[in-house]
Amino acid sequence: MMNLLLILLFPLFQTEQNGLLLVKVTNVQEHKGSIRMAVYNHEKSFPSESHSFRGGVLPLAPGIAHTLSCNNLPFGQYAVAVYQDMNNNGKMDKNGLGIPTEPYAFSNNVRVKWRSPRFGEAAFVFSQSRQELVLSLKRWSEH
């Protein structure tokens, strides 16, 4: 009987584990605009910025670190997308063919050219109290 009670009560005593995700963005060619980050926890929302789980914006200036943070992120599987919003209009600019005209990167530094990456390609396991990703911005022509 005692074992059954412990089994039933155990979920009440579990605490969700959270951590700090640091996203260091490299290969910033021009210090203008801002870096926009979107964190996704589900393949159905990836990579739509409006459906991200968490996000952040870092204004660019010479001499500052290009690191964005996501505090109290529950442990789990995520994918991250970043882009340099050169003109600060709040969206990824694209040409008439839908090709991005601003530098971008995805977790795992996934490099795809003629399509968006799949969640599984960019997904990583977040399982540490402090975990860092390093993403290298590239223009479409460099992928």
Side-chain angles (χ1 to χ4, degrees), residues 37-64:
M37 173 183 70
V39 179
Y40 303 89
N41 62 349
H42 198 276
E43 65 184 298
K44 289 183 180 177
S45 60
F46 182 77
S48 170
E49 186 176 5
S50 62
H51 294 98
S52 64
F53 176 66
R54 298 264 180 95
V57 179
L58 176 68
L60 289 176
I64 65 163

Side-chain angles (χ1 to χ4, degrees), residues 8-27:
L8 293 174
L9 292 177
F10 184 72
L12 298 176
F13 298 107
Q14 286 184 312
T15 59
E16 185 177 76
Q17 291 186 299
N18 298 314
L20 171 65
L21 175 64
L22 298 169
V23 179
K24 181 178 179 181
V25 180
T26 63
N27 201 34

Side-chain angles (χ1 to χ4, degrees), residues 54-81:
R54 298 264 180 95
V57 179
L58 176 68
L60 289 176
I64 65 163
H66 305 125
T67 302
L68 295 106
S69 62
C70 193
N71 294 309
N72 289 324
L73 187 66
F75 287 0
Q77 185 176 34
Y78 297 95
V80 173

Side-chain angles (χ1 to χ4, degrees), residues 37-125:
M37 173 183 70
V39 179
Y40 303 89
N41 62 349
H42 198 276
E43 65 184 298
K44 289 183 180 177
S45 60
F46 182 77
S48 170
E49 186 176 5
S50 62
H51 294 98
S52 64
F53 176 66
R54 298 264 180 95
V57 179
L58 176 68
L60 289 176
I64 65 163
H66 305 125
T67 302
L68 295 106
S69 62
C70 193
N71 294 309
N72 289 324
L73 187 66
F75 287 0
Q77 185 176 34
Y78 297 95
V80 173
V82 297
Y83 70 94
Q84 185 175 354
D85 188 3
M86 304 282 284
N87 55 5
N88 277 327
N89 66 352
K91 64 179 185 174
M92 165 63 87
D93 293 329
K94 299 177 182 179
N95 67 17
L97 298 174
I99 295 172
T101 59
E102 296 176 309
Y104 60 94
F106 297 98
S107 44
N108 296 332
N109 284 302
V110 174
R111 296 179 72 161
V112 294
K113 192 159 189 164
W114 295 104
R115 64 173 174 82
S116 296
R118 293 177 185 88
F119 181 81
E121 294 172 318
F124 65 96
V125 175

Side-chain angles (χ1 to χ4, degrees), residues 28-43:
V28 175
Q29 300 294 315
E30 298 179 63
H31 288 92
K32 66 181 203 178
S34 57
I35 302 290
R36 293 186 168 274
M37 173 183 70
V39 179
Y40 303 89
N41 62 349
H42 198 276
E43 65 184 298

